[in-house]
Amino acid sequence: MDTGNGLSATPKGIIFDLDGTLYHMRWYMRPIMFLWLIPHSFRLPRFIRSRETLAGVDWENSVALYHQIGIVCEALPTYSLSASEWIRWIQCDFYKAFVGVMTCMRYSRPHLNTTLNTLRQRGIKLGVLSDYGKIEARLKNLAIPVSLFDTIASSEEVGALKPHPRPFLEIAKAWNIDPEQVLVVGDRIDTDGEAAKAAGMNFVQINDRTKTSSALSWPQLRTFLAKCAE
């Protein structure tokens, strides 16, 4: 079949990004997290920027990755926190706020669960791969059943943040599906798209804000996925 987006055949597996893909990242998401993280709110943007410097590198496992995250954050001139104190803040405070704010993002993708269930009934393997952890807890707060996915994975927990292709290739291997038969759906070309390219997988971008010739809105993506399920 021709899906109308450059794919000539129905994918045997689809890997979805989570943040910005399975839910619309509303403008108020970060302010709510800032409030949740008081009195240490300004650690959030510094942590995210520091984390991005480690993207695309294979640290082999989560312990090594977190060690590097701690080192990078420890070097920040604004704070006198040790690497272990940063890691404790990330794993406790940051993730508590991140998981909690998901309840405010519920149902931002109308008919998402129905769309995913239709794909599963078609026999297509489904996975969610986020750069961040606590995926099952975040899906629960998003009201997205974990049971809709064959695989739930975190690049952080694997030790190789996007756009490194290893987490994607490991999912395809576990599914016993060739990479070229896997479709990646994500909101960022520089992470999801580049990782899919490096893994030899197809990629479709969802974009809620900017209209481009290639990116799809959520309604357009639903139509596209419906074609995959035919």
Side-chain angles (χ1 to χ4, degrees):
M1 60 164 284
D2 183 358
T3 59
N5 205 65
L7 302 181
S8 59
T10 300
K12 292 186 177 181
I14 302 177
I15 300 174
F16 291 91
D17 169 53
L18 178 52
D19 304 300
T21 300
L22 292 183
Y23 68 90
H24 184 180
M25 296 178 71
R26 305 293 191 184
W27 67 268
Y28 47 77
M29 177 176 172
R30 183 162 290 194
I32 292 175
M33 289 191 67
F34 260 71
L35 290 173
W36 209 306
L37 291 168
I38 289 174
H40 303 299
S41 303
F42 286 97
R43 292 179 185 177
L44 176 61
R46 289 164 175 79
F47 156 60
I48 292 175
R49 286 198 298 270
S50 298
R51 193 175 183 276
E52 287 175 348
T53 66
L54 306 176
V57 179
D58 192 347
W59 301 97
E60 298 185 356
N61 55 64
S62 61
V63 174
L65 172 60
Y66 259 100
H67 177 69
Q68 293 299 322
I69 291 174
I71 289 175
V72 173
C73 290
E74 185 179 36
L76 293 173
T78 313
Y79 302 99
S80 56
L81 295 177
S82 67
S84 60
E85 287 173 325
W86 266 107
I87 292 172
R88 190 178 306 114
W89 177 83
I90 294 165
Q91 294 180 333
C92 298
D93 296 19
F94 165 73
Y95 269 114
K96 182 179 180 180
F98 199 12
V99 171
V101 79
M102 292 293 100
T103 57
C104 301
M105 306 296 121
R106 281 184 175 182
Y107 313 118
S108 58
R109 300 291 189 214
H111 311 293
L112 170 65
N113 292 344
T114 300
T115 300
L116 295 175
N117 190 54
T118 300
L119 291 167
R120 281 183 61 83
Q121 291 178 349
R122 176 66 173 75
I124 298 173
K125 293 282 189 180
L126 299 182
V128 56
L129 175 60
S130 174
D131 246 1
Y132 292 89
K134 308 291 184 182
I135 300 175
E136 291 194 11
R138 290 196 284 142
L139 288 173
K140 179 180 179 181
N141 277 5
L142 286 166
I144 303 173
V146 173
S147 59
L148 290 174
F149 300 97
D150 298 279
T151 300
I152 292 175
S154 162
S155 298
E156 180 180 272
E157 293 170 2
V158 171
L161 301 179
K162 301 172 186 177
H164 201 283
R166 180 165 67 83
F168 292 84
L169 291 171
E170 287 185 355
I171 292 175
K173 183 178 180 180
W175 288 348
N176 195 28
I177 296 175
D178 292 334
E180 59 267 23
Q181 296 175 312
V182 175
L183 172 67
V184 175
V185 179
D187 65 314
R188 293 181 55 175
I189 294 177
D190 61 333
T191 55
D192 308 304
E194 289 300 317
K197 181 179 178 181
M201 299 176 178
N202 294 293
F203 173 67
V204 171
Q205 182 188 18
I206 180 172
N207 193 316
D208 293 300
R209 294 179 295 274
T210 306
K211 292 183 179 180
T212 68
S213 59
S214 57
L216 304 180
S217 65
W218 170 242
Q220 290 172 328
L221 180 60
R222 280 191 61 222
T223 298
F224 170 80
L225 293 174
K227 292 183 178 180
C228 291
E230 288 178 350

